[in-house]
Amino acid sequence: MGTELRRPPCAATPPAQLAERLAAMAMPRPMHPSVYQIEAAVIDWSREVGLDADPGAHRLAGRAFAGYDTGTASLFARWLTWMSRFREDPAAFAGVLAVAEGGEPGSLPLERSFANLWRACAPGMSQGWRERFLAGLTAQHEALLVTGTPIGDRTSSGEHPPILGCPSIENYPALGRNAFGRYLFDLVEPCAGVEVPAPVQESPRWRAVVEASGDVAAWCDDLTTGRGYVAVASTWLDRPDDAAVEWVIDRVVARMEELWTAARAIPLLLERHDLGFAASREVTRVVCAFLTIPRAYLEWFLESSRYRHLG
């Protein structure tokens, strides 16, 4: 990956730059008609399990699952809330993994809330799906140990975590995708009540869609928070944060275009595996969610207050 910095000719704010460069952003994604019910449900659930509610989870889920029922979108919003809090406290990994393997949750809210979500999703999925999800969870834990818990956040013990070494900018995309939580896209299946057949999951075309989706979502999350890829770009390019943001925007635009290219190849993949009309339709709905999740993160970035004062 090259490190040439290309500054746009105008001094538009980062959200404006992104909106101008991605034609797909010209028309916002539909929002779930019951988005406020989803918000209330997630707030109530967060209180019950002892987690701080994520203020953006209901809007992200409402866009990603706009065509689904309220329960489906609410379940995904609860997972988003849990995932956000787990990224702040990866030390909870051992207890969470024990729950996933059949153990009882301990006293930590992250363990109790995971047990609640796991019971809602895992029983209807195959052993292969569970192994894939847990592999993604393990990869996230390992990546968080390398990248460090976001600066300024505290662990459940109230202590600031150590700030670890900065990974190279060439190695960061895969590392950042894992740290963000690639299993987010595995969760689409149990939330939507669909399991994608293993031969499709294992194909290079499918992996290209999932990885591109993960990169766009993770990098937009970084753009909104000023962490992750933005911080790495700033360090390795030796540029101020605003120039690093523009560099990351270049990559978001390129990755979004690659995502659409990869997604257009999926119908041929499904035809080759001869899934049949009904199964192909369900798998296609999963792909549509893979397209709308990063799109939802893009719109979340556009709505972010981080750059509002520059407008």
Side-chain angles (χ1 to χ4, degrees):
M1 183 189 306
T3 56
E4 179 183 356
L5 187 70
R6 181 163 55 85
R7 183 180 296 275
C10 63
T13 64
Q17 293 175 33
L18 193 57
E20 289 169 3
R21 297 182 58 190
L22 281 174
M25 294 302 298
M27 183 176 294
R29 278 287 310 162
M31 178 62 77
H32 197 287
S34 301
V35 65
Y36 295 113
Q37 294 180 30
I38 297 169
E39 179 183 24
V42 173
I43 290 174
D44 289 345
W45 175 82
S46 298
R47 287 173 179 164
E48 290 173 5
V49 298
L51 293 181
D52 292 333
D54 187 323
H58 67 287
R59 297 189 66 80
L60 286 167
R63 285 197 172 105
F65 287 85
Y68 288 79
D69 60 58
T70 303
T72 295
S74 296
L75 178 57
F76 193 71
R78 295 198 295 273
W79 272 114
L80 288 171
T81 298
W82 182 88
M83 189 177 77
S84 175
R85 300 306 167 224
F86 179 74
R87 291 208 308 263
E88 296 169 359
D89 192 1
F93 171 74
V96 167
L97 185 62
V99 171
E101 292 175 344
E104 290 297 319
S107 59
L108 290 178
L110 276 169
E111 292 181 29
R112 296 199 309 271
S113 54
F114 177 82
N116 176 276
L117 293 169
W118 192 244
R119 285 194 298 268
C121 292
M125 306 303 290
S126 69
Q127 183 63 27
W129 179 90
R130 297 179 194 181
E131 292 173 356
R132 179 160 37 94
F133 175 90
L134 294 178
L137 186 67
T138 301
Q140 182 185 44
H141 179 246
E142 293 172 350
L144 287 170
L145 292 179
V146 174
T147 60
T149 303
I151 297 170
D153 292 339
R154 294 176 182 268
T155 64
S156 59
S157 63
E159 298 176 352
H160 284 291
I163 300 172
L164 304 181
C166 183
S168 73
I169 202 162
E170 288 81 8
N171 293 336
Y172 190 80
L175 184 65
R177 188 189 312 132
N178 285 342
F180 174 76
R182 71 188 192 201
Y183 58 85
L184 172 67
F185 296 91
D186 294 324
L187 291 169
V188 170
E189 294 171 74
C191 289
V194 177
E195 182 161 355
V196 177
V200 175
Q201 287 276 1
E202 295 163 1
S203 70
R205 290 180 180 178
W206 188 271
R207 289 199 302 271
V209 171
V210 175
E211 290 181 4
S213 299
D215 284 346
V216 174
W219 297 350
C220 284
D221 185 75
D222 292 348
L223 285 167
T224 306
T225 61
R227 299 190 296 234
Y229 207 27
V230 174
V232 171
S234 180
T235 299
W236 281 91
L237 296 176
D238 192 23
R239 297 291 195 276
D241 285 349
D242 59 344
V245 166
E246 292 170 5
W247 189 88
V248 174
I249 285 176
D250 284 346
R251 274 120 195 99
V252 170
V253 171
R255 208 65 173 116
M256 195 68 182
E257 292 172 351
E258 291 167 3
L259 169 59
W260 280 100
T261 299
R264 282 195 288 268
I266 294 299
L268 288 177
L269 174 67
L270 301 181
E271 183 178 342
R272 188 179 69 184
H273 285 284
D274 195 24
L275 297 186
F277 176 76
S280 294
R281 181 181 58 188
E282 293 302 313
V283 172
T284 299
R285 295 187 75 190
V286 173
V287 176
C288 288
F290 288 176
L291 292 172
T292 54
I293 289 172
R295 175 64 181 274
Y297 271 94
L298 283 168
E299 294 196 35
W300 181 41
F301 169 56
L302 295 179
E303 295 172 350
S304 170
S305 61
R306 173 174 167 79
Y307 301 102
R308 200 164 291 161
H309 67 287
L310 299 175

